[in-house]
Amino acid sequence: MPEDKMRRGLEYRSFVRKKIYFLIFLFLFTIVVFLLAIALGSSSVSLGRVLRTLFGHGEKKDSIIILSIRLPRAVTAIAAGFGLGIVGCVMQSVLRNPLASASTIGVSQGAAFGAAFAIIALGGGMMSAGSTGAQLNVNNPVVTTLCAFFFAMVSTIFVLCLSRFREINASTLVLAGVALSSLFSAGTTLLEYFADDVRVAAVVYWTFGDLGSTFWKEIIVMGTVVVFAAIYFQLNSWNYNAMQGGEETAKGLGVKTQSTILCSMVVGSFTAAVIVSYIGIISFVGLIAPHLVRKFVGSDYRYLLPAAGLAGANLLLVSDLLSRLIISPIVLPIGAITSILGAPIFLWIILKRGRH
């Protein structure tokens, strides 16, 4: 008996080490892709010059390209991708729905409608010429974020009411999210219809998704929100683990399921709203990031949450790199690239679930 216990203990420690090794691999891979995203583009810069510039010893031309243009884009991709990854992971947990994410249950589209309302009706954003072409400047980020958060919460409350009081199944919940997304998209279209050309152009450009419209002030705000959300989710990782066995089991283990679900959805919706209000709609990242890493780290949220965040950061970094390289020097919309990469994986998830 002691030998069996010792053997199981060794197997468990070996399994944990594999998870830690995979997280280290993801972190190192993120650094590599981050450096490539800074080095490659319409004007490529060697990795040596990139490192010299990052440490303050680069030439003036390299400093302009790297520090003013590419570094903010890359840091934005990491912050937004990590945030969307952990939000999607938590939503899939608390809603017990593997297809749940900010973009599939209407949260991103609700935030998009709120941000579009702020841009058009409240003058929250305007088009301007930037170093990489046309870009959207958020004139009043507080109002834009609050409007995005309000309508994101409308979607969140609607989904929570359906899942809690109507007790609909996972597939129906996603269909309800699609319907809600269509409703908010229609609202955004009506706002555009009554707006002037400049504001319509701002909203349309913004809905494409753009990593080049953020500067360090916006990045700091976004990064701060993502960090606090990540800390909150990580502190609740044991609760998410307990809830995998069902709410009754979680309650028996001392988890306050109602408050955990509500607070997690509020924090997740706010995080998604902040990201969407700054960079526009980015589809599929939050949906597929947890599924890509679950096979390697399992369903233990202590490891799944950081893995999903790093996977989301890598997805957005790679998508941004592709958007700038496919038909360089033209920069393709980042939202289109993530959709092209994510749609086949999304279909695979649906088909895989359909066979069980």
Side-chain angles (χ1 to χ4, degrees), residues 135-201:
Q135 63 186 28
L136 172 65
N137 288 327
V138 179
N139 299 332
N140 197 332
V142 175
V143 173
T144 305
T145 301
L146 287 177
C147 288
F149 174 63
F150 175 78
F151 287 101
M153 283 308 302
V154 170
S155 297
T156 300
I157 293 170
F158 179 77
V159 169
L160 284 175
C161 288
L162 285 179
S163 62
R164 303 296 302 169
F165 301 116
R166 288 293 180 180
E167 297 182 353
I168 62 177
N169 60 39
S171 300
T172 308
L173 192 65
V174 172
L175 292 176
V178 171
L180 198 61
S181 300
S182 299
L183 181 63
F184 280 120
S185 296
T188 303
T189 301
L190 288 175
L191 285 174
E192 293 173 0
Y193 183 78
F194 291 104
D196 58 59
D197 292 344
V198 175
R199 285 186 169 85
V200 168

Short mmCIF file of all heavy atoms in Angstrom, two decimals, residues 135-201:
data_model
loop_
_atom_site.label_atom_id
_atom_site.label_comp_id
_atom_site.label_asym_id
_atom_site.label_seq_id
_atom_site.Cartn_x
_atom_site.Cartn_y
_atom_site.Cartn_z
N GLN A 135 -5.39 55.65 -38.79
CA GLN A 135 -5.58 54.96 -37.53
C GLN A 135 -6.66 55.67 -36.73
O GLN A 135 -7.00 56.82 -36.98
CB GLN A 135 -4.29 54.88 -36.73
CG GLN A 135 -3.73 56.23 -36.31
CD GLN A 135 -2.37 56.07 -35.63
OE1 GLN A 135 -1.63 55.13 -35.89
NE2 GLN A 135 -2.04 57.01 -34.77
N LEU A 136 -7.22 54.95 -35.77
CA LEU A 136 -8.27 55.49 -34.92
C LEU A 136 -7.67 55.95 -33.60
O LEU A 136 -7.00 55.18 -32.92
CB LEU A 136 -9.33 54.42 -34.66
CG LEU A 136 -10.42 54.78 -33.64
CD1 LEU A 136 -11.26 55.93 -34.14
CD2 LEU A 136 -11.27 53.57 -33.31
N ASN A 137 -7.91 57.20 -33.25
CA ASN A 137 -7.48 57.72 -31.96
C ASN A 137 -8.68 57.80 -31.03
O ASN A 137 -9.71 58.37 -31.39
CB ASN A 137 -6.86 59.11 -32.12
CG ASN A 137 -5.50 59.07 -32.79
OD1 ASN A 137 -4.75 58.11 -32.61
ND2 ASN A 137 -5.18 60.08 -33.58
N VAL A 138 -8.56 57.22 -29.85
CA VAL A 138 -9.62 57.28 -28.86
C VAL A 138 -9.46 58.58 -28.08
O VAL A 138 -8.54 58.72 -27.27
CB VAL A 138 -9.55 56.06 -27.91
CG1 VAL A 138 -10.66 56.14 -26.86
CG2 VAL A 138 -9.69 54.77 -28.71
N ASN A 139 -10.36 59.56 -28.35
CA ASN A 139 -10.25 60.87 -27.72
C ASN A 139 -10.66 60.85 -26.26
O ASN A 139 -10.10 61.57 -25.44
CB ASN A 139 -11.12 61.89 -28.47
CG ASN A 139 -10.69 62.06 -29.91
OD1 ASN A 139 -9.54 61.87 -30.23
ND2 ASN A 139 -11.63 62.40 -30.77
N ASN A 140 -11.66 60.03 -25.94
CA ASN A 140 -12.16 59.97 -24.57
C ASN A 140 -12.23 58.51 -24.15
O ASN A 140 -13.30 57.90 -24.18
CB ASN A 140 -13.53 60.64 -24.47
CG ASN A 140 -13.91 60.96 -23.04
OD1 ASN A 140 -13.46 60.29 -22.10
ND2 ASN A 140 -14.72 61.99 -22.86
N PRO A 141 -11.09 57.94 -23.75
CA PRO A 141 -11.06 56.50 -23.46
C PRO A 141 -11.94 56.10 -22.29
O PRO A 141 -12.45 54.99 -22.26
CB PRO A 141 -9.58 56.23 -23.16
CG PRO A 141 -9.00 57.56 -22.81
CD PRO A 141 -9.77 58.57 -23.60
N VAL A 142 -12.13 57.00 -21.31
CA VAL A 142 -12.95 56.65 -20.14
C VAL A 142 -14.41 56.45 -20.57
O VAL A 142 -15.04 55.44 -20.23
CB VAL A 142 -12.85 57.75 -19.07
CG1 VAL A 142 -13.80 57.44 -17.91
CG2 VAL A 142 -11.42 57.86 -18.55
N VAL A 143 -14.96 57.40 -21.33
CA VAL A 143 -16.34 57.30 -21.79
C VAL A 143 -16.51 56.11 -22.72
O VAL A 143 -17.48 55.35 -22.62
CB VAL A 143 -16.78 58.60 -22.49
CG1 VAL A 143 -18.16 58.43 -23.12
CG2 VAL A 143 -16.80 59.75 -21.49
N THR A 144 -15.54 55.93 -23.64
CA THR A 144 -15.62 54.81 -24.58
C THR A 144 -15.60 53.48 -23.85
O THR A 144 -16.39 52.57 -24.15
CB THR A 144 -14.44 54.88 -25.58
OG1 THR A 144 -14.45 56.15 -26.23
CG2 THR A 144 -14.57 53.78 -26.64
N THR A 145 -14.71 53.34 -22.87
CA THR A 145 -14.62 52.10 -22.11
C THR A 145 -15.87 51.85 -21.28
O THR A 145 -16.36 50.72 -21.19
CB THR A 145 -13.38 52.12 -21.20
OG1 THR A 145 -12.21 52.28 -22.01
CG2 THR A 145 -13.26 50.84 -20.40
N LEU A 146 -16.40 52.91 -20.64
CA LEU A 146 -17.60 52.75 -19.83
C LEU A 146 -18.80 52.34 -20.68
O LEU A 146 -19.59 51.48 -20.27
CB LEU A 146 -17.90 54.05 -19.08
CG LEU A 146 -16.97 54.39 -17.91
CD1 LEU A 146 -17.33 55.73 -17.31
CD2 LEU A 146 -17.02 53.30 -16.84
N CYS A 147 -18.94 52.94 -21.85
CA CYS A 147 -20.03 52.55 -22.76
C CYS A 147 -19.85 51.11 -23.22
O CYS A 147 -20.82 50.33 -23.27
CB CYS A 147 -20.08 53.49 -23.97
SG CYS A 147 -20.69 55.14 -23.62
N ALA A 148 -18.61 50.74 -23.55
CA ALA A 148 -18.34 49.37 -23.98
C ALA A 148 -18.65 48.40 -22.85
O ALA A 148 -19.26 47.34 -23.06
CB ALA A 148 -16.89 49.24 -24.42
N PHE A 149 -18.24 48.74 -21.62
CA PHE A 149 -18.50 47.88 -20.48
C PHE A 149 -19.99 47.73 -20.20
O PHE A 149 -20.47 46.64 -19.89
CB PHE A 149 -17.78 48.42 -19.24
CG PHE A 149 -18.09 47.67 -17.98
CD1 PHE A 149 -17.73 46.34 -17.86
CD2 PHE A 149 -18.74 48.28 -16.92
CE1 PHE A 149 -18.01 45.63 -16.70
CE2 PHE A 149 -19.03 47.58 -15.76
CZ PHE A 149 -18.66 46.25 -15.65
N PHE A 150 -20.73 48.82 -20.29
CA PHE A 150 -22.17 48.78 -20.00
C PHE A 150 -22.88 47.79 -20.92
O PHE A 150 -23.65 46.92 -20.46
CB PHE A 150 -22.79 50.16 -20.16
CG PHE A 150 -24.28 50.18 -20.00
CD1 PHE A 150 -24.86 50.13 -18.74
CD2 PHE A 150 -25.12 50.21 -21.11
CE1 PHE A 150 -26.24 50.12 -18.59
CE2 PHE A 150 -26.49 50.21 -20.97
CZ PHE A 150 -27.06 50.17 -19.70
N PHE A 151 -22.62 47.88 -22.21
CA PHE A 151 -23.32 46.99 -23.14
C PHE A 151 -22.73 45.58 -23.12
O PHE A 151 -23.44 44.61 -23.43
CB PHE A 151 -23.29 47.59 -24.55
CG PHE A 151 -24.21 48.75 -24.71
CD1 PHE A 151 -23.74 50.05 -24.67
CD2 PHE A 151 -25.58 48.56 -24.85
CE1 PHE A 151 -24.59 51.14 -24.80
CE2 PHE A 151 -26.44 49.63 -24.97
CZ PHE A 151 -25.95 50.93 -24.94
N ALA A 152 -21.47 45.44 -22.75
CA ALA A 152 -20.91 44.11 -22.53
C ALA A 152 -21.63 43.44 -21.35
O ALA A 152 -21.92 42.23 -21.38
CB ALA A 152 -19.41 44.18 -22.27
N MET A 153 -21.93 44.22 -20.32
CA MET A 153 -22.64 43.69 -19.17
C MET A 153 -24.08 43.34 -19.50
O MET A 153 -24.65 42.41 -18.92
CB MET A 153 -22.60 44.68 -18.01
CG MET A 153 -21.28 44.74 -17.28
SD MET A 153 -20.71 43.09 -16.75
CE MET A 153 -22.09 42.56 -15.74
N VAL A 154 -24.69 44.07 -20.43
CA VAL A 154 -26.04 43.71 -20.89
C VAL A 154 -26.02 42.30 -21.47
O VAL A 154 -26.88 41.46 -21.16
CB VAL A 154 -26.56 44.72 -21.93
CG1 VAL A 154 -27.85 44.22 -22.59
CG2 VAL A 154 -26.81 46.08 -21.27
N SER A 155 -25.01 42.02 -22.30
CA SER A 155 -24.86 40.68 -22.86
C SER A 155 -24.59 39.65 -21.77
O SER A 155 -25.15 38.55 -21.78
CB SER A 155 -23.71 40.65 -23.88
OG SER A 155 -23.97 41.49 -24.96
N THR A 156 -23.73 40.01 -20.83
CA THR A 156 -23.38 39.09 -19.76
C THR A 156 -24.59 38.73 -18.91
O THR A 156 -24.82 37.55 -18.61
CB THR A 156 -22.30 39.73 -18.86
OG1 THR A 156 -21.14 40.01 -19.65
CG2 THR A 156 -21.91 38.80 -17.72
N ILE A 157 -25.37 39.72 -18.52
CA ILE A 157 -26.56 39.48 -17.70
C ILE A 157 -27.57 38.63 -18.45
O ILE A 157 -28.18 37.71 -17.89
CB ILE A 157 -27.18 40.81 -17.25
CG1 ILE A 157 -26.23 41.53 -16.28
CG2 ILE A 157 -28.54 40.60 -16.60
CD1 ILE A 157 -26.63 42.95 -15.97
N PHE A 158 -27.72 38.90 -19.73
CA PHE A 158 -28.64 38.12 -20.55
C PHE A 158 -28.23 36.65 -20.59
O PHE A 158 -29.06 35.75 -20.39
CB PHE A 158 -28.70 38.70 -21.97
CG PHE A 158 -29.60 37.95 -22.91
CD1 PHE A 158 -30.97 38.10 -22.86
CD2 PHE A 158 -29.06 37.08 -23.86
CE1 PHE A 158 -31.80 37.40 -23.73
CE2 PHE A 158 -29.87 36.38 -24.73
CZ PHE A 158 -31.25 36.54 -24.66
N VAL A 159 -26.94 36.41 -20.81
CA VAL A 159 -26.43 35.03 -20.87
C VAL A 159 -26.56 34.35 -19.52
O VAL A 159 -26.95 33.17 -19.42
CB VAL A 159 -24.96 35.03 -21.36
CG1 VAL A 159 -24.34 33.66 -21.18
CG2 VAL A 159 -24.89 35.45 -22.82
N LEU A 160 -26.23 35.07 -18.44
CA LEU A 160 -26.35 34.49 -17.10
C LEU A 160 -27.80 34.13 -16.77
O LEU A 160 -28.06 33.08 -16.18
CB LEU A 160 -25.80 35.47 -16.06
CG LEU A 160 -24.28 35.58 -15.95
CD1 LEU A 160 -23.89 36.67 -14.96
CD2 LEU A 160 -23.66 34.25 -15.54
N CYS A 161 -28.72 34.99 -17.16
CA CYS A 161 -30.13 34.70 -16.91
C CYS A 161 -30.58 33.45 -17.66
O CYS A 161 -31.31 32.61 -17.12
CB CYS A 161 -31.00 35.90 -17.31
SG CYS A 161 -30.86 37.31 -16.19
N LEU A 162 -30.13 33.31 -18.91
CA LEU A 162 -30.50 32.13 -19.69
C LEU A 162 -29.92 30.86 -19.07
O LEU A 162 -30.60 29.83 -18.96
CB LEU A 162 -30.01 32.27 -21.13
CG LEU A 162 -30.78 33.21 -22.05
CD1 LEU A 162 -30.13 33.25 -23.43
CD2 LEU A 162 -32.23 32.78 -22.19
N SER A 163 -28.65 30.94 -18.66
CA SER A 163 -27.99 29.74 -18.15
C SER A 163 -28.47 29.38 -16.74
O SER A 163 -28.50 28.20 -16.37
CB SER A 163 -26.47 29.93 -18.14
OG SER A 163 -26.10 30.99 -17.29
N ARG A 164 -28.87 30.41 -15.96
CA ARG A 164 -29.24 30.15 -14.57
C ARG A 164 -30.72 29.82 -14.40
O ARG A 164 -31.09 28.87 -13.73
CB ARG A 164 -28.91 31.36 -13.69
CG ARG A 164 -27.46 31.78 -13.75
CD ARG A 164 -26.54 30.73 -13.21
NE ARG A 164 -26.85 30.38 -11.84
CZ ARG A 164 -26.34 29.35 -11.20
NH1 ARG A 164 -25.49 28.55 -11.82
NH2 ARG A 164 -26.66 29.10 -9.95
N PHE A 165 -31.57 30.63 -15.03
CA PHE A 165 -33.00 30.52 -14.77
C PHE A 165 -33.73 29.65 -15.79
O PHE A 165 -34.69 28.96 -15.48
CB PHE A 165 -33.63 31.91 -14.71
CG PHE A 165 -33.03 32.78 -13.65
CD1 PHE A 165 -32.33 33.93 -13.98
CD2 PHE A 165 -33.12 32.44 -12.31
CE1 PHE A 165 -31.77 34.74 -13.01
CE2 PHE A 165 -32.55 33.24 -11.32
CZ PHE A 165 -31.87 34.39 -11.68
N ARG A 166 -33.28 29.70 -17.03
CA ARG A 166 -33.90 28.86 -18.06
C ARG A 166 -33.21 27.50 -18.19
O ARG A 166 -33.76 26.57 -18.75
CB ARG A 166 -33.86 29.57 -19.42
CG ARG A 166 -34.82 30.75 -19.50
CD ARG A 166 -36.26 30.26 -19.46
NE ARG A 166 -37.19 31.38 -19.55
CZ ARG A 166 -38.51 31.24 -19.54
NH1 ARG A 166 -39.04 30.03 -19.44
NH2 ARG A 166 -39.29 32.28 -19.62
N GLU A 167 -31.97 27.44 -17.70
CA GLU A 167 -31.19 26.20 -17.70
C GLU A 167 -31.10 25.58 -19.10
O GLU A 167 -31.30 24.39 -19.29
CB GLU A 167 -31.80 25.18 -16.72
CG GLU A 167 -31.75 25.65 -15.27
CD GLU A 167 -32.31 24.61 -14.31
OE1 GLU A 167 -32.85 23.60 -14.79
OE2 GLU A 167 -32.20 24.83 -13.10
N ILE A 168 -30.79 26.42 -20.09
CA ILE A 168 -30.65 25.92 -21.44
C ILE A 168 -29.29 25.24 -21.59
O ILE A 168 -28.36 25.48 -20.83
CB ILE A 168 -30.79 27.06 -22.48
CG1 ILE A 168 -29.67 28.11 -22.29
CG2 ILE A 168 -32.15 27.71 -22.35
CD1 ILE A 168 -29.70 29.21 -23.32
N ASN A 169 -29.19 24.37 -22.60
CA ASN A 169 -27.96 23.61 -22.77
C ASN A 169 -26.88 24.46 -23.45
O ASN A 169 -27.13 25.58 -23.89
CB ASN A 169 -28.22 22.32 -23.55
CG ASN A 169 -28.78 22.58 -24.94
OD1 ASN A 169 -28.38 23.52 -25.62
ND2 ASN A 169 -29.73 21.75 -25.36
N ALA A 170 -25.68 23.88 -23.55
CA ALA A 170 -24.52 24.63 -24.04
C ALA A 170 -24.71 25.10 -25.48
O ALA A 170 -24.40 26.24 -25.82
CB ALA A 170 -23.27 23.76 -23.94
N SER A 171 -25.22 24.24 -26.34
CA SER A 171 -25.39 24.59 -27.75
C SER A 171 -26.40 25.72 -27.91
O SER A 171 -26.18 26.66 -28.68
CB SER A 171 -25.83 23.37 -28.55
OG SER A 171 -24.88 22.34 -28.46
N THR A 172 -27.50 25.65 -27.18
CA THR A 172 -28.52 26.69 -27.26
C THR A 172 -27.98 28.01 -26.74
O THR A 172 -28.33 29.09 -27.25
CB THR A 172 -29.77 26.27 -26.47
OG1 THR A 172 -30.19 24.98 -26.90
CG2 THR A 172 -30.90 27.27 -26.68
N LEU A 173 -27.12 27.96 -25.74
CA LEU A 173 -26.54 29.18 -25.19
C LEU A 173 -25.70 29.90 -26.24
O LEU A 173 -25.75 31.13 -26.36
CB LEU A 173 -25.68 28.84 -23.98
CG LEU A 173 -25.22 30.01 -23.10
CD1 LEU A 173 -26.42 30.68 -22.45
CD2 LEU A 173 -24.25 29.53 -22.04
N VAL A 174 -24.94 29.15 -27.02
CA VAL A 174 -24.14 29.74 -28.08
C VAL A 174 -25.05 30.34 -29.15
O VAL A 174 -24.79 31.43 -29.68
CB VAL A 174 -23.18 28.71 -28.69
CG1 VAL A 174 -22.48 29.28 -29.91
CG2 VAL A 174 -22.14 28.29 -27.66
N LEU A 175 -26.14 29.64 -29.49
CA LEU A 175 -27.09 30.17 -30.47
C LEU A 175 -27.72 31.47 -29.97
O LEU A 175 -27.92 32.41 -30.75
CB LEU A 175 -28.19 29.13 -30.76
CG LEU A 175 -27.73 27.87 -31.50
CD1 LEU A 175 -28.90 26.89 -31.62
CD2 LEU A 175 -27.20 28.22 -32.88
N ALA A 176 -28.01 31.53 -28.68
CA ALA A 176 -28.54 32.77 -28.10
C ALA A 176 -27.50 33.87 -28.20
O ALA A 176 -27.84 35.04 -28.47
CB ALA A 176 -28.93 32.54 -26.64
N GLY A 177 -26.23 33.53 -28.00
CA GLY A 177 -25.16 34.51 -28.15
C GLY A 177 -25.04 35.01 -29.57
O GLY A 177 -24.80 36.20 -29.82
N VAL A 178 -25.25 34.12 -30.56
CA VAL A 178 -25.23 34.52 -31.97
C VAL A 178 -26.36 35.51 -32.25
O VAL A 178 -26.17 36.53 -32.94
CB VAL A 178 -25.33 33.29 -32.88
CG1 VAL A 178 -25.54 33.71 -34.33
CG2 VAL A 178 -24.07 32.43 -32.75
N ALA A 179 -27.54 35.21 -31.71
CA ALA A 179 -28.68 36.11 -31.90
C ALA A 179 -28.41 37.47 -31.27
O ALA A 179 -28.70 38.52 -31.86
CB ALA A 179 -29.94 35.49 -31.30
N LEU A 180 -27.83 37.46 -30.07
CA LEU A 180 -27.51 38.72 -29.39
C LEU A 180 -26.44 39.49 -30.16
O LEU A 180 -26.51 40.72 -30.26
CB LEU A 180 -27.03 38.41 -27.97
CG LEU A 180 -27.06 39.55 -26.96
CD1 LEU A 180 -28.48 40.06 -26.77
CD2 LEU A 180 -26.50 39.07 -25.62
N SER A 181 -25.47 38.77 -30.70
CA SER A 181 -24.43 39.42 -31.51
C SER A 181 -25.04 40.10 -32.73
O SER A 181 -24.66 41.22 -33.09
CB SER A 181 -23.39 38.39 -31.96
OG SER A 181 -22.76 37.79 -30.84
N SER A 182 -25.99 39.42 -33.38
CA SER A 182 -26.67 39.99 -34.55
C SER A 182 -27.44 41.24 -34.17
O SER A 182 -27.47 42.23 -34.92
CB SER A 182 -27.62 38.96 -35.17
OG SER A 182 -26.90 37.82 -35.60
N LEU A 183 -28.07 41.22 -33.00
CA LEU A 183 -28.82 42.39 -32.54
C LEU A 183 -27.91 43.59 -32.34
O LEU A 183 -28.21 44.71 -32.79
CB LEU A 183 -29.54 42.05 -31.23
CG LEU A 183 -30.40 43.15 -30.61
CD1 LEU A 183 -31.55 43.53 -31.54
CD2 LEU A 183 -30.94 42.72 -29.25
N PHE A 184 -26.78 43.39 -31.68
CA PHE A 184 -25.85 44.50 -31.46
C PHE A 184 -25.20 44.95 -32.76
O PHE A 184 -24.95 46.15 -32.94
CB PHE A 184 -24.78 44.08 -30.45
CG PHE A 184 -25.22 44.16 -29.02
CD1 PHE A 184 -25.23 43.03 -28.22
CD2 PHE A 184 -25.65 45.36 -28.49
CE1 PHE A 184 -25.64 43.11 -26.90
CE2 PHE A 184 -26.06 45.44 -27.17
CZ PHE A 184 -26.07 44.31 -26.37
N SER A 185 -24.95 44.01 -33.68
CA SER A 185 -24.40 44.39 -34.98
C SER A 185 -25.38 45.26 -35.75
O SER A 185 -25.00 46.23 -36.41
CB SER A 185 -24.06 43.14 -35.80
OG SER A 185 -23.04 42.39 -35.17
N ALA A 186 -26.68 44.91 -35.66
CA ALA A 186 -27.71 45.73 -36.30
C ALA A 186 -27.75 47.12 -35.69
O ALA A 186 -27.90 48.13 -36.40
CB ALA A 186 -29.07 45.05 -36.17
N GLY A 187 -27.61 47.19 -34.36
CA GLY A 187 -27.59 48.49 -33.69
C GLY A 187 -26.40 49.33 -34.14
O GLY A 187 -26.53 50.55 -34.36
N THR A 188 -25.25 48.70 -34.31
CA THR A 188 -24.07 49.41 -34.78
C THR A 188 -24.28 49.93 -36.20
O THR A 188 -23.90 51.06 -36.53
CB THR A 188 -22.84 48.49 -34.74
OG1 THR A 188 -22.65 48.00 -33.42
CG2 THR A 188 -21.58 49.23 -35.18
N THR A 189 -24.93 49.13 -37.04
CA THR A 189 -25.23 49.54 -38.42
C THR A 189 -26.15 50.75 -38.44
O THR A 189 -25.96 51.69 -39.24
CB THR A 189 -25.88 48.38 -39.20
OG1 THR A 189 -24.99 47.26 -39.20
CG2 THR A 189 -26.17 48.79 -40.63
N LEU A 190 -27.16 50.77 -37.57
CA LEU A 190 -28.06 51.92 -37.50
C LEU A 190 -27.32 53.18 -37.04
O LEU A 190 -27.59 54.29 -37.55
CB LEU A 190 -29.22 51.62 -36.55
CG LEU A 190 -30.27 50.62 -37.06
CD1 LEU A 190 -31.29 50.32 -35.97
CD2 LEU A 190 -30.97 51.18 -38.29
N LEU A 191 -26.42 53.02 -36.09
CA LEU A 191 -25.62 54.18 -35.66
C LEU A 191 -24.79 54.73 -36.82
O LEU A 191 -24.71 55.95 -37.02
CB LEU A 191 -24.68 53.78 -34.52
CG LEU A 191 -25.30 53.57 -33.13
CD1 LEU A 191 -24.26 53.04 -32.16
CD2 LEU A 191 -25.87 54.89 -32.59
N GLU A 192 -24.20 53.84 -37.60
CA GLU A 192 -23.41 54.26 -38.75
C GLU A 192 -24.27 54.96 -39.80
O GLU A 192 -23.82 55.90 -40.46
CB GLU A 192 -22.71 53.05 -39.37
CG GLU A 192 -21.65 52.42 -38.49
CD GLU A 192 -21.11 51.12 -39.07
OE1 GLU A 192 -21.56 50.73 -40.16
OE2 GLU A 192 -20.23 50.52 -38.44
N TYR A 193 -25.50 54.52 -39.95
CA TYR A 193 -26.40 55.08 -40.97
C TYR A 193 -26.68 56.56 -40.71
O TYR A 193 -26.80 57.36 -41.65
CB TYR A 193 -27.71 54.29 -40.99
CG TYR A 193 -28.68 54.75 -42.06
CD1 TYR A 193 -28.50 54.38 -43.39
CD2 TYR A 193 -29.76 55.57 -41.73
CE1 TYR A 193 -29.38 54.80 -44.36
CE2 TYR A 193 -30.65 56.00 -42.70
CZ TYR A 193 -30.46 55.61 -44.02
OH TYR A 193 -31.34 56.05 -44.98
N PHE A 194 -26.77 56.93 -39.44
CA PHE A 194 -27.12 58.31 -39.09
C PHE A 194 -25.89 59.17 -38.76
O PHE A 194 -26.05 60.33 -38.37
CB PHE A 194 -28.08 58.34 -37.89
CG PHE A 194 -29.44 57.81 -38.22
CD1 PHE A 194 -29.83 56.55 -37.80
CD2 PHE A 194 -30.34 58.57 -38.96
CE1 PHE A 194 -31.08 56.05 -38.10
CE2 PHE A 194 -31.60 58.08 -39.26
CZ PHE A 194 -31.98 56.83 -38.83
N ALA A 195 -24.69 58.62 -38.91
CA ALA A 195 -23.48 59.36 -38.59
C ALA A 195 -22.88 60.00 -39.83
O ALA A 195 -23.21 59.63 -40.98
CB ALA A 195 -22.46 58.43 -37.94
N ASP A 196 -21.98 60.97 -39.62
CA ASP A 196 -21.29 61.58 -40.76
C ASP A 196 -20.19 60.65 -41.24
O ASP A 196 -19.84 59.66 -40.60
CB ASP A 196 -20.72 62.95 -40.37
CG ASP A 196 -19.75 62.88 -39.21
OD1 ASP A 196 -18.73 62.17 -39.33
OD2 ASP A 196 -20.02 63.50 -38.17
N ASP A 197 -19.63 60.99 -42.41
CA ASP A 197 -18.67 60.11 -43.07
C ASP A 197 -17.43 59.85 -42.24
O ASP A 197 -16.89 58.73 -42.22
CB ASP A 197 -18.27 60.70 -44.43
CG ASP A 197 -19.41 60.71 -45.42
OD1 ASP A 197 -20.40 60.00 -45.17
OD2 ASP A 197 -19.31 61.45 -46.43
N VAL A 198 -16.96 60.87 -41.53
CA VAL A 198 -15.72 60.72 -40.76
C VAL A 198 -15.93 59.72 -39.63
O VAL A 198 -15.10 58.82 -39.40
CB VAL A 198 -15.26 62.08 -40.20
CG1 VAL A 198 -14.05 61.89 -39.29
CG2 VAL A 198 -14.93 63.03 -41.33
N ARG A 199 -17.05 59.84 -38.90
CA ARG A 199 -17.29 58.94 -37.78
C ARG A 199 -17.63 57.52 -38.27
O ARG A 199 -17.28 56.54 -37.61
CB ARG A 199 -18.40 59.49 -36.89
CG ARG A 199 -17.94 60.66 -36.03
CD ARG A 199 -19.01 61.11 -35.05
NE ARG A 199 -18.45 62.05 -34.08
CZ ARG A 199 -18.33 63.35 -34.28
NH1 ARG A 199 -18.71 63.86 -35.44
NH2 ARG A 199 -17.81 64.13 -33.35
N VAL A 200 -18.32 57.43 -39.40
CA VAL A 200 -18.58 56.09 -39.97
C VAL A 200 -17.26 55.42 -40.33
O VAL A 200 -17.05 54.23 -40.05
CB VAL A 200 -19.48 56.19 -41.22
CG1 VAL A 200 -19.51 54.86 -41.97
CG2 VAL A 200 -20.89 56.59 -40.82
N ALA A 201 -16.35 56.18 -40.95
CA ALA A 201 -15.04 55.63 -41.29
C ALA A 201 -14.30 55.18 -40.04
O ALA A 201 -13.64 54.14 -40.03
CB ALA A 201 -14.22 56.66 -42.06
#
